[in-house]
Every structure is written in C-alpha cells, then in structure tokens.
Amino acid sequence: MKKTVLQIETQLAMTNSFKIGHNIQNRYDRYVERKNAGGVVGIPTGIEPLDYMLGGIKPVDLITFYGYTNTGKSWLLIIIAVAMAKLGYKVLFLTKEMSSEQLGDRIDAVWSGISYNRLRSGSLSVVEEKEYIDYLNKIENEDVTLVVEEVKGGVLTCASLIDTHKPDICFIDGGYLMAEDSKDGDDWKGIVRVWRNFKEIAMQKKVPIVATTQLKSQKAALDNASFAKYIANECDGIFGMEQSEQ
C-alpha cells in the first residue's frame, strides 16, 4: 500500500510541460545566469571537478556515490554537506548507516578542521581543543542550517522528513539499506525500486537528493553490481569511488 500511495502521489505531481515556442525570455535568462555563474547554476558541492561536470546540484537531481566498504562514501557526503551548509543552504542529512552522534562527531571535525581520530579518542591537542570549544560556542549562537536525522523506516520516512524540514538539499547515507526485499541490501531489484522512488521524490518535492550505495567489489565499475547499471538510469550523476594505496 505504501508503494502504491507513493506512486500515485508522484504521478499526480509530475505535470510540468515544455512548449518550444513559449517562455522564450525565461530560457534566455537562464542561459545568462549560467554564463555569469561559470556554468554552475545549482547548489555547488565545493569540489571543482564535480561542479564542472554537474553544473552544481539542481532541484530535481538524484546524484549517487557508490563503492566498496570503507571507501569514504560517508566522509565525502559529510564534506559536501558541510560546504553547502557553510554557504547558507539548508541541508538535511539522513543516515541509515550510523548513529546521529557518530555522524555529529564527523561533522564537527570537518566543520572545525580538527582531527576526527583525536576528537573520537578524546586526545585533542591543546590548540585543537581550544578550536573545538570556539567552534561549538560559535555555532550555538548561529542559525546553523545542517540537520541530521536517523532513518528508522524506508523511502516514505525520507519523504516525510523532507516535508518536515523543507531543506534545499537532502543527503541519504546508506540508501541501499532501504531495500525492503533484502535485509542486507543484496536484492538488486529492491535497490532499483528504492532509487526510482528517490528520483520521484526529488522531482515531486523539487529537492535534490544525494545518496550512497555499497558494492561488494573494490573495483568501482557499473558492471560489478547487478543494480549499479540499472540505478544509473535513474540518476543525473553516478560516481564510483575507489581508494588508492596512498
């Protein structure tokens, strides 16, 4: 029933149309905007190669990062989310892979520029400890635009949280864990359905989604996972991640 309701809602909402002879001025204005912004008209990631390829992340985009365990997918999402929040965008970060406290420590480390390992082990240097205290005092008195939520449910929970927080962009860490047909996310058809729903939510709510999924191979190629080449059809950008020896 949940799947049916979501499908009906998204189908009813997708009624935008384009007519070649209409809105001429608006289309030229969008071109001028792209020209003045150097091609980046969406939300910038803060990572130049990504922004060059994507033109920033736009309202209906679904972007996916995938890779092997411990490749750094969560860290990359955190780095991008913090960069966007520092620019004043309202960021919603949904996690299926770790607790909000664990995620909060990582965000604190990235935002303040201190060592995450020393923060986690309680062994910050004297300088870092002062920087950490100054950072906490600073953000306490500011309207920080980054919200973290643990997702206990599935896709519909994500849609509900987007409605609640009304973000400019939503990050979903561990989206593959929302596949209802498999506890460990191995069922590729279930993962494809999840990604299709992510795209429908982005289009319906005009909120871009950046999600991660996991491969069981260290080589980040679309052919190394049954679902990867299929979810690519739903994505506006899909990026495989690998770690070098360094």
Side-chain angles (χ1 to χ4, degrees), residues 3 6 62 154-156 158 172 174-182 185 187-201 209 211-213 231 234:
K3 292 178 183 176
L6 180 61
L62 171 60
V155 173
L156 287 178
C158 296
I172 302 177
Y176 68 98
L177 295 172
M178 295 181 189
E180 296 177 0
D181 298 336
S182 175
D187 178 66
W188 67 269
K189 291 182 180 179
I191 295 174
V192 171
R193 284 194 292 271
V194 168
W195 253 252
R196 188 165 295 140
N197 286 335
F198 283 164
K199 180 59 179 178
E200 290 174 349
I201 290 170
I209 292 175
T212 64
T213 190
I231 68 172
E234 310 297 332

Side-chain angles (χ1 to χ4, degrees), residues 67-79:
Y68 189 62
T69 305
N70 295 325
T71 307
K73 300 182 297 295
S74 298
W75 278 111
L76 181 61
L77 255 61
I78 290 168
I79 290 168

Side-chain angles (χ1 to χ4, degrees), residues 44-47 50 72-86 91 93 103 106-107 109-111 146 171 241:
T45 65
I47 300 175
L50 286 180
K73 300 182 297 295
S74 298
W75 278 111
L76 181 61
L77 255 61
I78 290 168
I79 290 168
I80 296 174
V82 168
M84 291 178 176
K86 284 186 173 183
V91 177
F93 201 112
L103 197 55
R106 293 188 179 200
I107 290 171
V110 171
W111 197 303
L146 176 53
F171 292 83
M241 295 180 61

Side-chain angles (χ1 to χ4, degrees), residues 28-54:
Y28 180 73
D29 290 343
R30 290 200 301 271
Y31 161 74
V32 172
E33 182 183 0
R34 290 193 293 269
K35 178 181 176 181
N36 293 337
V40 180
V41 294
I43 302 175
T45 65
I47 300 175
E48 287 188 7
L50 286 180
D51 287 334
Y52 176 79
M53 286 184 282
L54 296 171

Side-chain angles (χ1 to χ4, degrees), residues 10 25 33 47 58 63 76 84 89-90 92 97 115 132 143 147 154 159 173 175 191 205:
T10 52
Q25 186 60 47
E33 182 183 0
I47 300 175
K58 294 166 281 299
I63 308 299
L76 181 61
M84 291 178 176
Y89 292 99
K90 189 172 183 180
L92 175 61
E97 294 217 300
S115 165
Y132 184 47
D143 184 20
V147 177
D173 192 27
I191 295 174
K205 301 181 183 302

Side-chain angles (χ1 to χ4, degrees), residues 68-138:
Y68 189 62
T69 305
N70 295 325
T71 307
K73 300 182 297 295
S74 298
W75 278 111
L76 181 61
L77 255 61
I78 290 168
I79 290 168
I80 296 174
V82 168
M84 291 178 176
K86 284 186 173 183
L87 289 173
Y89 292 99
K90 189 172 183 180
V91 177
L92 175 61
F93 201 112
L94 307 181
T95 177
K96 195 78 173 175
E97 294 217 300
M98 65 183 77
S99 70
S100 56
E101 288 80 11
Q102 289 175 306
L103 197 55
D105 284 343
R106 293 188 179 200
I107 290 171
D108 283 345
V110 171
W111 197 303
S112 62
I114 62 177
S115 165
Y116 169 69
N117 288 332
R118 288 194 290 273
L119 176 64
R120 183 179 59 177
S121 63
S123 57
L124 292 175
S125 68
V126 174
V127 173
E128 285 179 320
E129 192 168 307
K130 182 180 183 307
E131 290 175 346
Y132 184 47
I133 293 171
D134 290 344
Y135 152 77
L136 291 175
N137 290 332
K138 185 173 184 293

